[in-house]
Amino acid sequence: MNQIVQAWRHVFKLDPDRPIDDQTLEAVCSSGTDAIMVGGSSGVTYDNTNSLLGQIRKFQIPCVLEVSALEAIVPGFDLFLIPMVLNSSDPQWLIGNQAQAAEMYGEMIPWDTLVPEGYIVLNPDSTVAMRTEANTSLTDSEAAAYAQIADRMFQLPIVYVEYSGTFGDMELVSAVGRRLEHSRLFYGGGIVDGETARLAASACDTIVVGNIIYSDLNKALETVAVIKNSSIQI
Ligand code: 1GP
C-alpha cells in the first residue's frame, strides 16, 4: 500500500466542493500525473465526494481520498489518506478526529488502505491553517524537528508540508527533507506553472498541485510535463 505512494512524484488534488467538467477532468487524468487526490478544507460532503469519485472512475488512474470530514468518507477509493496536523494547537486535529472515527467505525475500518500523513501547515491565510489553528510561524529548524518526530517516532509514511494557496519557503522544505529518513516528503501550495513545479520538486519527493487546475488548465498540465520530462531526482 505504501509502495504505491512511494512511487508518486506528481499528484493532482481535486476539491469535491468545486465542480469540474468532464473535458477538464479527462485532461487532468490523462496528463501523466501519478494519482488523483480528492480532498478539500471546506464544503466537502458525502454527495459531492461520491459524485467526483464517479467522474474520476471513468479513467484509469489511482484515486485516493484525503479524509477531512467523517461524514464524507466514501468507500471505493484506492487508498484513504489520514491527515494528522502536527503543528495544530488543538489535539483534535492530531489524533482526536481519528479516535472519534475509530470509535464510530472501528470494526469496519479497512486498515490496510489507510495511509497517515503528518501535515505541517504553514500558510497562515489558508482555510486549513485557520480551521486547524496551526502554528504557522515555525522556523526551518522547528519544522524539521516536527518532521523528524513524524518520521522516527510516529513512523508516518508521508510528511506533507502544506502552503495551500501560496508558494512556500523552499529553504524550509529542503530543511525538512534533509531530516527525513523513511517518510516521503509531499509539498503542496502555489505550484502554478512549470517553474514553480521544478523548484518545489527539487526540494521534496512528491508535488501536489491543486488550485491552478481550476484557473489555468494548461499551466496545470505544464507542471506534469516538467516533472515527467526532467531528470530531477526526486
Ligand atoms: C492543497 O497542497 C495542496 O492542499 C495544493 O495547494 O491549491 O495552492 O496548489 P494549491
Side-chain angles (χ1 to χ4, degrees):
M1 161 272 286
N2 290 340
Q3 288 86 333
I4 302 173
V5 172
Q6 289 294 334
W8 293 348
R9 295 194 299 150
H10 182 287
V11 173
F12 275 131
K13 189 185 272 196
L14 294 176
D15 186 343
D17 196 30
R18 298 173 85 167
I20 185 165
D21 62 73
D22 284 343
Q23 202 179 349
T24 305
L25 190 61
E26 180 170 10
V28 165
C29 293
S30 322
S31 62
T33 188
D34 294 307
I36 304 295
M37 188 187 294
V38 170
S41 304
S42 63
V44 178
T45 66
Y46 187 95
D47 287 344
N48 62 22
T49 303
N50 195 36
S51 162
L52 182 55
L53 175 64
Q55 274 183 284
I56 296 167
R57 280 303 189 213
K58 294 176 194 148
F59 306 98
Q60 293 277 340
I61 185 154
C63 181
V64 303
L65 178 65
E66 187 170 62
V67 177
S68 60
L70 283 184
E71 62 280 8
I73 301 176
V74 173
F77 284 87
D78 295 313
L79 294 173
F80 297 85
L81 308 188
I82 311 296
M84 303 170 71
V85 182
L86 305 174
N87 62 326
S88 171
S89 55
D90 181 349
Q92 191 68 15
W93 297 101
L94 181 66
I95 193 167
N97 291 326
Q98 298 83 343
Q100 199 183 335
E103 191 180 2
M104 285 168 69
Y105 304 116
E107 294 299 315
M108 290 160 17
I109 294 176
W111 294 103
D112 289 349
T113 63
L114 304 195
V115 182
E117 308 170 289
Y119 258 76
I120 303 174
V121 174
L122 292 169
N123 174 9
D125 300 323
S126 62
T127 306
V128 61
M130 290 187 259
R131 190 168 172 218
T132 63
E133 296 172 48
N135 172 15
T136 55
S137 56
L138 300 182
T139 63
D140 293 13
S141 103
E142 286 169 339
Y146 275 103
Q148 189 170 36
I149 296 295
D151 181 16
R152 303 308 300 269
M153 285 184 62
F154 294 169
Q155 300 185 8
L156 301 181
I158 297 171
V159 167
Y160 190 141
V161 176
E162 170 69 292
Y163 277 91
S164 180
T166 192
F167 195 67
D169 175 353
M170 290 304 123
E171 291 290 327
L172 182 149
V173 179
S174 297
V176 166
R178 283 194 296 274
R179 207 59 94 77
L180 296 178
E181 291 198 24
H182 306 292
S183 309
R184 193 160 179 90
L185 179 55
F186 281 34
Y187 168 82
I191 297 173
V192 292
D193 56 16
E195 179 59 9
T196 43
R198 191 187 60 73
L199 286 170
S202 306
C204 73
D205 299 315
T206 304
I207 63 168
V208 183
V209 178
N211 275 312
I212 195 67
I213 298 164
Y214 299 93
S215 54
D216 191 334
L217 179 62
N218 286 334
K219 291 283 185 195
L221 299 176
E222 203 180 291
T223 68
V224 187
V226 140
I227 300 307
K228 295 295 174 175
N229 300 332
S230 83
S231 56
I232 300 171
Q233 295 300 310
I234 59 173

